[in-house]
Amino acid sequence: MVKLPVGTADFETIRRNGYYYIDKSRIISELIRDGASAILFTRPRRFGKTTVMTMLSSFFDITKESASLFEDLDVAQDEEAVKLWLNQYPVIFLSLKNVDGLTFKSAIGRLKSTLHLLFNDYTFLLEDEINDWERKLINAFISGDADIDDMKDSLAFLTRMLSTHYGKDVIILVDEYDVPLSRAEQNGYYDEMLDLVRAMFSVLKDDSHVKMAILTGCLRISKESLFTGLNNLTSYSLLSESYASYFGFTDSEVRKLLEDTDLGEKEAVIRSWYDGYNIGGLSIYSAWDVVSYIKDLLVNRDAEPMNYWANTSGNEIIRRFIDDIHSSVSDDYGTLISKGAIEKRISENLAYNDLYSSENNVWSLLLETGYLTIKTKYAAGKDTALIIPNEEVRDLFITNVNSWFMDSMGKEDRSELFDALFSGDESKLSDIISNYLERTISYFDYSEEFYHAFTAGLFSSKKCYVKSNRESGLGRYDLLVADKDARKAAVLEFKAVTREKDITSSLDKALNQIDERKYDLDLKRYNLICYAVVFYKKSAYVKKI
């Protein structure tokens, strides 16, 4: 039996409880020999950052005896790393993933709770020979009474105290370092949070008590906005070749997992749905999604792949992008959903308060956060080809497009549309539907399925009900729009053409279909109008029977 670690990202929990673990411990050896005193890894959500960080904590932490957790892993073969680094250094492990809130005050409350839990692990410092101020400050963090100035000094203070206690330099690990800034930007208190976080991270600037600092997050924030003066910070983004294989799963790792779970025949569908991230030139799978789908397959071998990302936080990036859409971006969006590539200039240094100031910044954001990936190779200072990485993210884009369309339609006055529909004004109906098409993001290469979904959303309202593909007469109509109170209804039969010269013949074909299949037989109680609707690119042509 294979136990998959769905629901836990903690390395020690995974190892001690016999969960399936894909060995990423070689990163320890590389970090030891990297030479950088401060390192930032940026990867999208669901790529195993927390598991890697908890592994590093377990390996380095002087308060632990974790040799047994590593004895059959790659790092155990590195004698120098084991001898000189295994459980040899005091470690501060700080996760900022829960530091959010609608206001700065609520976010501060979350940070207080986070620091309270952190300092509770170091109550032994109260037994040292410390002065009254140090004792008071430790107690303030433990009790949750620390103020903002205390929080600004929290990492520097704790680093100094641990270094003094052990007589050794300290390793600092900060997971999800950018979450507080992301939430602050969304909710309007960015400047206050930036001032606080910048002060907390000042400990990384050549502090004599810091042995090594490692940070992870989704976005590489410019040094000018957050790490001012931190010249020794080395960033490894998803554009970097170094460390590319340590976050997410490689092809060989997924193949081994499928072999161990006897699910080898699912390799193609898993690759289609969860692979496709070009990270440092390697093709990388989303770790969380692969494990989640395989867990479902072990219960039901016929389980269909799901969009596991849709149920996690952070998808407001796409929605915010769509809400501010304009015509040029709309065409790019349609190209992406249709599995095409777009050429954009990518910036690796972004500031959260400047993310949406330009179109290029937004494309860079979508790349950094995993909604897009590089098609072939990153071109620094030049346009780079971007694509949607896989079916999961493509499904997420489409879902957000449909949701955006339904929401935007619900806010508009569409009385003119319904008046034209129920009065039989085919010319006006053609113009109105075409105008809506011009404003939307199209995909599926203008297939009939897209137009069908688009029109169903367009006519959805509280006043009318819409039915698709229902039996009536001798067949199934494409769409019924009915106003029960007014006893009015319209049946629409759709056709999509790729050549302009086919519009007239397709209209006639649709009208003949309505007549031959007698869609009106079961709708005699309504004042019914039947329409043929032919779509060609972003134009609609309407003719009534």
Side-chain angles (χ1 to χ4, degrees):
M1 293 294 293
V2 174
K3 291 173 60 178
L4 296 175
V6 175
T8 181
D10 180 68
F11 172 79
E12 289 193 15
T13 301
I14 292 170
R15 294 292 286 166
R16 293 192 189 284
N17 290 279
Y19 288 106
Y20 193 94
Y21 177 69
I22 291 177
D23 188 358
K24 301 289 186 178
S25 66
R26 290 188 305 277
I27 192 176
I28 297 172
S29 297
E30 292 199 28
L31 286 169
I32 290 171
R33 294 168 177 81
D34 187 290
S37 57
I39 294 174
L40 169 63
F41 292 110
T42 57
R43 293 294 188 275
R45 290 173 295 128
R46 312 162 302 126
F47 271 71
K49 298 189 296 292
T50 298
T51 302
V52 169
M53 291 291 273
T54 54
M55 176 185 67
L56 297 179
S57 177
S58 182
F59 188 86
F60 294 128
D61 196 338
I62 197 171
T63 68
K64 299 178 180 179
E65 296 180 1
S66 55
S68 61
L69 301 180
F70 293 92
E71 61 185 10
D72 59 342
L73 301 183
D74 287 343
V75 71
Q77 307 304 313
D78 186 342
E79 295 181 2
E80 180 182 352
V82 171
K83 181 179 179 180
L84 301 179
W85 292 80
L86 177 61
N87 302 140
Q88 294 297 309
Y89 289 93
V91 171
I92 297 174
F93 180 85
L94 177 65
S95 173
L96 297 179
K97 68 178 181 179
N98 293 321
V99 181
D100 61 7
L102 296 177
T103 64
F104 183 56
K105 182 178 179 181
S106 60
I108 287 297
R110 292 291 189 92
L111 182 56
K112 278 186 179 182
S113 298
T114 298
L115 293 175
H116 158 74
L117 294 174
L118 175 65
F119 273 80
N120 267 339
D121 290 335
Y122 305 106
T123 55
F124 57 81
L125 293 174
L126 293 170
E127 301 174 7
D128 291 354
E129 293 184 7
I130 58 179
N131 61 42
D132 291 342
W133 175 82
E134 292 168 336
R135 189 175 303 278
K136 181 180 178 181
L137 191 52
I138 293 172
N139 282 320
F141 283 114
I142 292 174
S143 64
D145 294 328
D147 60 26
I148 290 180
D149 287 334
D150 295 336
M151 294 182 205
K152 289 181 177 180
D153 294 333
S154 57
L155 286 181
F157 172 70
L158 183 56
T159 297
R160 180 173 60 82
M161 297 298 291
L162 288 174
S163 179
T164 300
H165 178 87
Y166 288 105
K168 291 189 172 187
D169 292 340
V170 177
I171 293 175
I172 299 176
L173 306 174
V174 182
D175 196 26
E176 305 288 3
Y177 86 104
D178 53 341
V179 167
L181 295 172
S182 173
R183 300 296 185 265
E185 190 278 330
Q186 293 164 20
N187 294 304
Y189 53 90
Y190 180 81
D191 290 341
E192 297 97 316
M193 184 57 75
L194 178 62
D195 180 62
L196 172 55
V197 175
R198 180 189 287 146
M200 285 182 65
F201 290 162
S202 64
V203 67
L204 306 180
K205 301 175 187 177
D206 301 318
D207 191 299
S208 60
H209 302 291
V210 177
K211 179 70 174 179
M212 179 194 303
I214 301 170
L215 298 83
T216 67
C218 286
L219 190 64
R220 175 178 171 177
I221 302 175
S222 65
K223 290 183 180 180
E224 292 74 20
S225 66
L226 180 60
F227 299 113
T228 306
L230 184 56
N231 298 319
N232 59 334
L233 177 68
T234 301
S235 296
Y236 295 108
S237 71
L238 45 76
L239 301 176
S240 307
E241 293 183 9
S242 299
Y243 300 96
S245 65
Y246 293 120
F247 301 91
F249 295 159
T250 64
D251 275 328
S252 60
E253 288 168 342
V254 171
R255 199 170 296 117
K256 179 66 165 59
L257 174 56
L258 292 173
E259 178 185 325
D260 292 340
T261 52
D262 192 29
L263 291 168
E265 76 276 9
K266 300 295 183 179
E267 182 177 350
V269 68
I270 289 177
R271 179 181 296 112
S272 172
W273 269 76
Y274 308 119
D275 188 18
Y277 294 94
N278 182 344
I279 299 180
L282 294 180
S283 182
I284 300 293
Y285 291 74
S286 164
W288 165 258
D289 302 319
V290 170
V291 171
S292 296
Y293 182 43
I294 290 179
K295 186 176 179 66
D296 287 346
L297 288 171
L298 291 176
V299 176
N300 173 16
R301 206 175 186 94
D302 296 322
E304 294 293 327
M306 291 177 56
N307 192 327
Y308 299 99
W309 202 357
N311 297 321
T312 60
S313 62
N315 294 325
E316 66 275 357
I317 292 173
I318 285 186
R319 185 53 186 268
R320 183 167 175 179
F321 187 32
I322 299 172
D323 284 342
D324 297 331
I325 210 90
H326 53 80
S327 58
S328 63
V329 177
S330 175
D331 291 340
D332 288 331
Y333 211 105
T335 298
L336 289 168
I337 294 177
S338 300
K339 301 184 179 181
I342 59 173
E343 297 277 340
K344 298 295 173 183
R345 188 72 54 88
I346 298 302
S347 172
E348 284 197 83
N349 292 294
L350 299 171
Y352 266 108
N353 62 338
D354 199 35
L355 292 178
Y356 297 90
S357 63
S358 72
E359 184 183 322
N360 279 339
N361 278 2
V362 178
W363 292 120
S364 300
L365 174 63
L366 291 172
L367 172 65
E368 292 275 1
T369 49
Y371 293 98
L372 299 178
T373 193
I374 295 171
K375 183 178 181 181
T376 53
K377 190 175 182 180
Y378 170 57
K382 300 179 181 178
D383 286 351
T384 297
L386 302 175
I387 58 173
I388 291 177
N390 52 44
E391 288 301 314
E392 181 186 37
V393 179
R394 183 169 178 265
D395 178 72
L396 188 63
F397 269 65
I398 292 170
T399 300
N400 276 272
V401 168
N402 291 339
S403 175
W404 165 81
F405 179 70
M406 293 295 290
D407 287 351
S408 62
M409 290 304 99
K411 297 174 183 176
E412 294 190 12
D413 180 5
R414 285 169 289 157
S415 57
E416 191 177 18
L417 171 70
F418 287 100
D419 288 344
L421 178 72
F422 292 130
S423 67
D425 191 337
E426 57 191 28
S427 176
K428 191 170 186 180
L429 199 56
S430 297
D431 290 340
I432 294 173
I433 295 176
S434 296
N435 286 337
Y436 275 112
L437 275 171
E438 283 293 334
R439 294 165 44 197
T440 63
I441 303 164
S442 54
Y443 50 94
F444 293 130
D445 296 322
Y446 299 110
S447 71
E448 189 172 317
E449 289 85 356
F450 162 72
Y451 293 119
H452 193 141
F454 161 82
T455 312
L458 186 63
F459 284 107
S460 296
S461 72
K462 293 180 180 179
K463 185 177 180 181
C464 297
Y465 75 88
V466 176
K467 302 290 184 183
S468 294
N469 298 316
R470 296 296 180 89
E471 289 185 4
S472 183
L474 305 178
R476 288 176 176 268
Y477 53 70
D478 280 338
L479 199 71
L480 170 69
V481 182
D483 182 340
K484 287 185 176 181
D485 294 336
R487 302 185 69 80
K488 297 177 180 179
V491 165
L492 296 89
E493 186 67 28
F494 303 126
K495 301 293 179 186
V497 298
T498 57
R499 301 183 302 177
E500 190 173 6
K501 66 180 183 179
D502 294 332
I503 294 171
T504 301
S505 61
S506 294
L507 281 169
D508 293 337
K509 183 178 179 181
L511 290 174
N512 290 334
Q513 185 174 322
I514 293 171
D515 184 53
E516 291 171 359
R517 299 183 183 180
K518 302 185 183 303
Y519 291 146
D520 61 330
L521 281 180
D522 299 328
L523 301 168
K524 296 295 187 182
R525 64 188 181 279
Y526 292 107
N527 179 13
L528 181 70
I529 304 176
C530 295
Y531 294 97
V533 185
V534 172
F535 295 97
Y536 171 66
K537 295 185 177 180
K538 287 203 170 187
S539 295
Y541 300 84
V542 181
K543 190 173 182 180
K544 65 183 178 183
I545 198 164

